[in-house]
Amino acid sequence: MEALFAVLVGIFFAAALYLMMSKHIIRVLLGVVLLGNAVNLLLFTTGRLTAEVPPIIPVGSDTLAMSAANPLPQALILTAIVISFSFFCFLLVLTYRAYQDLGTDDTDDMRVAEPKDEPMPPTGY
Amino acid sequence: MMAVSPSTPIDLSAAMVLDPATAAHWLAILPMGLCLGTGALLMMIRHRIAWHPPVALAGLALLVLVDILLLSRVLADGPLTMMMGRWRPPFGIAITVDLTGALLALAAAIVAFAAALYAELDIDNSGRRYGFYPLLMVLMAGVSGAFLTGDIFNLYVWFEVLLISSFGLLILGSEREQIDGALKYAVLNLIATTLFLIAVGYLYAIFGTLNMADIALKAPELSGSAPLMTLSALFVLAFSMKAAAFPVNFWLPASYHTPRVVVSALFAGLLTKVGVYALLRVMVMLLPIEREALSLVIAIVAALTMILGAMGALAQTDIRRFMGYIVIAGIGNMMAGIAIGGEAAVGAAIFYALHSILLMTALYLVVGEAARLGGGFSLTKLAGLWTSAPAFAGLSLALFFAASGLPPFSGFWPKALLVKASLDIGAWWLAGSVLLSGFLCTIGFGRLFLLAYWRPAVVSGPPSATETTPAPAAFAPPPAAPRTSLWRSAPILLLSIFVVWFGLFPDPLIVVSQQAAAGLSDPTAYILSVFPEKGAP
């Protein structure tokens, strides 16, 4: 199960990196969202993947009898999902606004903040 | 579910702190609570924007006070730990304040106070309505949280808190330039925090814990058997991106010159330094053996960052972009301290970080003032500030000297300590890079002073085609009134006092930052503060 997830996470990372290298901002965004999911799966895998053992502590003991899945990474993923989801929403709105204002979704053409033909600073007065 | 039978009493002392928390413990969480509370209050009174500045200023003044108390407490009794919900790690999250964290949090609070003071006149009503002050308070909650937390996943959460509020601050005004800068900033910083999260996932897989004291305890045993080098490389990459170190720094000059001056000032002072702090915490305290192994890589990155940052500054016409590259050059110096390691060099890096937080904010505020007096940010246009505002020019010169690392201002001492530390380990090229970077910065600042301040103001002819476009309408400064100019200079003056003070009397700060570095290099006190039972023989 873990090996399968490792391969899956690898594929996610590869696809995310490929998309993020694009010049088009919408593909970059898709890459970012894939990357977020890749990381969530990675976190998920770190806490053991077992469905067989229910994480119930038997009466009279204060630890689990067998190795059940660790719930902490799942709590971490919940946090990370909420954060990455809200960030993705913000980025999506920002990108749409950038497309409206700048008229392009090509990062090479987005040169308002850093104009291409900025003159050299004056060398003397 | 059946009720727990009371027949076998459960020993809670292993999992929970049974003693009630003292006032000092509450002090550790107060900075974040205070900032979030004030931010929430400001959100509630969002229609009464006239009340925003006084409420925010009061909140930030309280924050400074709390951080001073926290620092004095940590100086007196060593690291202070607050277990959230009284659950001990690994169940609960620990807020652990050590000297490094307390020092940086105090510097951040002072900077935020000064920026809020400046914002009183710099942020117009529309900026206030879009929530400048609530976002500022949430940003400060994130920054304080990042400096004070003792749990790595919690650090990630505070990173996100400060990141999301920085997005809001960055696009305040919604100009085309800002949207463009914010897009690059947002995407690249989000990728950096995602990289950090990957590293956290691996960290948890390896150690089974996220508590920093616990990791510091376990790291030496595992250093041979677990893939800690990969992990450290990931951390270095993620935090270098946050700190804007050389190969991954291009989001900073693309975005830092676009927002309001006071927002740039806050970002330049705080955000990159949070990255440096995280690097210090993780590489120096948690993974010292791996830092040793990676030290050459970090040193090369540091040298390239400081030299290329300074060279980038030389090529700029816009003084805001000039300052952006100066921020990058400073990051190189701090990373050099991390690369060298040892108390002397790490202490110098902490000193440099404190100095840089105060100085970079002051410099951006100076830029704002210069643009207001001279009518733009372009070096081709600015002229004659020396004759129109001599006192301001003098103040600027002092800050420029501090940034170049010239005595008698605060930039000189950490650079001198860094040069000495790198010569001590025989890294003459690193010492040379620090000096070369300082030299190039001096040329840059010299030219800035010469053109913008010293050059006599000429009666402007028709603007030539090569000149940059004038500042957007929103940057057009309102006509100056005498009270206005005094009010605007007050925050710069406040920050300059520290810069001059640390320059003239560096000894106390050198001693304290060495002490902080010693606490990072040998985290016994930190670990004992989180796990008191480990101290019992």
Side-chain angles (χ1 to χ4, degrees):
Chain A
M1 197 64 170
E2 268 88 352
L4 196 67
F5 263 73
V7 173
L8 186 66
V9 168
I11 293 171
F12 265 56
F13 272 124
L17 283 178
Y18 174 73
L19 282 171
M20 285 196 303
M21 280 188 279
S22 167
K23 284 196 292 188
H24 294 277
I25 202 80
I26 196 78
R27 287 193 195 175
V28 175
L29 273 192
L30 290 176
V32 167
V33 96
L34 260 185
L35 186 70
N37 280 312
V39 181
N40 288 340
L41 282 177
L42 179 98
L43 267 170
F44 187 53
T45 320
T46 60
R48 280 190 298 269
L49 301 167
T50 47
E52 291 80 25
V53 189
I56 295 172
I57 300 172
V59 177
S61 97
D62 51 5
T63 50
L64 284 169
M66 295 164 72
S67 59
N70 188 339
L72 185 70
Q74 302 179 9
L76 301 185
I77 296 169
L78 274 182
T79 317
I81 286 176
V82 173
I83 291 173
S84 60
F85 181 69
S86 59
F87 274 48
F88 180 64
C89 289
F90 178 84
L91 276 182
L92 212 54
V93 174
L94 186 65
T95 307
Y96 184 56
R97 179 66 194 268
Y99 178 67
Q100 281 183 322
D101 276 11
L102 312 176
T104 175
D105 81 326
D106 188 331
T107 40
D108 280 355
D109 297 337
M110 293 186 175
R111 306 283 312 203
V112 185
E114 294 175 286
K116 219 172 229 167
D117 48 351
E118 205 182 354
M120 287 300 283
T123 46
Y125 68 93
Chain B
M1 289 294 289
M2 55 183 181
V4 178
S5 65
S7 57
T8 48
I10 298 163
D11 182 22
L12 276 178
S13 65
M16 290 185 86
V17 181
L18 296 179
D19 311 322
T22 61
H25 286 113
W26 285 108
L27 205 58
I29 188 74
L30 202 55
M32 287 76 95
L34 184 69
C35 291
L36 287 177
T38 317
L41 180 68
L42 287 168
M43 286 296 283
M44 281 192 280
I45 57 168
R46 64 185 179 281
H47 293 302
R48 302 179 183 277
I49 46 175
W51 292 7
H52 275 201
V55 172
L57 275 174
L60 288 169
L62 259 177
L63 180 68
V64 173
L65 195 68
V66 168
D67 281 334
I68 289 174
L69 284 175
L70 203 54
L71 179 62
S72 62
R73 170 68 221 256
V74 171
L75 268 176
D77 300 343
L80 172 72
T81 298
M82 165 91 179
M83 309 286 184
M84 300 309 296
R86 289 171 42 193
W87 288 101
R88 284 186 202 281
F91 307 107
I93 290 166
I95 301 284
T96 307
V97 190
D98 70 345
L99 201 48
T100 317
L103 278 170
L104 289 167
L106 177 60
I110 292 170
V111 157
F113 182 76
L117 213 58
Y118 191 83
E120 156 92 78
L121 291 175
D122 192 49
I123 297 293
D124 52 11
N125 275 345
S126 118
R128 287 182 200 173
R129 205 164 275 131
Y130 277 111
F132 171 77
Y133 286 100
L135 285 171
L136 168 67
M137 294 313 293
V138 177
L139 180 82
M140 279 318 290
V143 169
S144 311
F147 285 147
L148 302 181
T149 186
D151 182 283
I152 259 207
F153 191 77
N154 205 223
L155 181 66
Y156 163 77
V157 174
W158 289 123
F159 262 69
E160 302 287 16
V161 169
L162 69 88
L163 198 57
I164 195 83
S165 42
S166 74
F167 290 169
L169 288 172
L170 200 59
I171 53 165
L172 213 68
S174 308
E175 285 145 28
R176 293 179 71 216
E177 211 183 20
Q178 289 180 326
I179 302 277
D180 185 15
L183 196 59
K184 286 157 189 169
Y185 172 89
V187 170
L188 289 173
N189 270 284
L190 193 56
I191 292 172
T193 39
T194 312
L195 281 172
F196 178 27
L197 187 60
I198 297 171
V200 170
Y202 279 128
L203 191 79
Y204 187 72
I206 293 170
F207 289 98
T209 179
L210 292 165
N211 184 276
M212 290 182 191
D214 215 3
I215 295 167
L217 210 58
K218 286 178 181 164
E221 303 161 19
L222 285 172
S223 71
S225 58
L228 288 189
M229 279 303 286
T230 315
L231 185 64
S232 331
L234 256 177
F235 271 125
V236 170
L237 175 61
F239 294 144
S240 300
M241 208 163 163
K242 284 266 145 205
F246 161 59
V248 281
N249 64 352
F250 291 102
W251 56 270
L252 193 149
S255 63
Y256 268 30
H257 63 293
T258 56
R260 295 278 174 274
V261 165
V262 57
V263 174
S264 296
L266 267 173
F267 284 11
L270 298 177
L271 299 191
T272 46
K273 258 57 83 180
V274 177
V276 169
Y277 163 79
L279 208 54
L280 272 172
R281 178 68 74 197
V282 169
M283 295 312 289
V284 177
M285 188 175 107
L286 301 187
L287 305 164
I289 299 164
E290 285 70 28
R291 186 207 59 77
E292 193 79 49
L294 279 175
S295 63
L296 185 62
V297 177
I298 304 178
I300 291 170
V301 166
L304 286 173
T305 307
M306 59 179 109
I307 291 175
L308 293 174
M311 283 165 78
L314 276 179
Q316 300 309 314
T317 313
D318 186 309
I319 50 177
R320 290 171 301 169
R321 298 195 62 189
F322 174 89
M323 291 301 173
Y325 280 98
I326 296 294
V327 173
I328 295 176
I331 294 299
N333 284 297
M334 286 173 254
M335 289 195 65
I338 296 171
I340 300 164
E343 278 169 34
V346 175
I350 293 172
F351 189 134
Y352 200 101
L354 292 167
H355 139 85
S356 176
I357 289 178
L358 299 164
L359 178 73
M360 285 323 301
T361 307
L363 278 178
Y364 267 97
L365 297 183
V366 161
V367 163
E369 272 304 275
R372 194 178 63 82
L373 295 168
F377 293 102
S378 171
L379 269 184
T380 50
K381 289 216 187 87
L382 281 171
L385 294 178
W386 177 256
T387 43
S388 61
F392 168 68
L395 202 60
S396 313
L397 191 62
L399 292 171
F400 292 172
F401 269 34
S404 318
L406 299 176
F409 300 104
S410 64
F412 173 70
W413 299 105
K415 283 197 182 182
L417 291 171
L418 274 176
V419 168
K420 183 174 174 301
S422 40
L423 287 179
D424 280 350
I425 61 158
W428 54 268
W429 55 276
L430 198 54
S433 318
V434 173
L435 294 176
L436 179 62
S437 157
F439 177 63
L440 292 175
C441 287
T442 313
I443 295 178
F445 277 113
R447 186 168 64 188
L448 171 57
F449 193 79
L450 205 64
L451 290 172
Y453 291 79
W454 202 250
R455 178 169 58 171
V458 284
V459 184
S460 58
S464 66
T466 52
E467 272 180 37
T468 46
T469 48
F475 287 114
R483 187 193 78 90
T484 320
S485 104
L486 185 69
W487 182 266
R488 275 167 179 267
S489 308
I492 305 177
L493 203 59
L494 172 74
L495 295 173
S496 311
I497 288 170
F498 288 102
V499 170
V500 175
W501 177 29
F502 294 154
L504 293 179
F505 306 102
D507 280 336
L509 195 64
I510 291 178
V511 170
V512 171
S513 51
Q514 304 283 31
Q515 229 178 311
L520 285 179
S521 312
D522 177 20
T524 317
Y526 191 95
I527 295 168
L528 277 182
S529 146
V530 181
F531 302 107
E533 70 279 2
K534 291 270 187 334

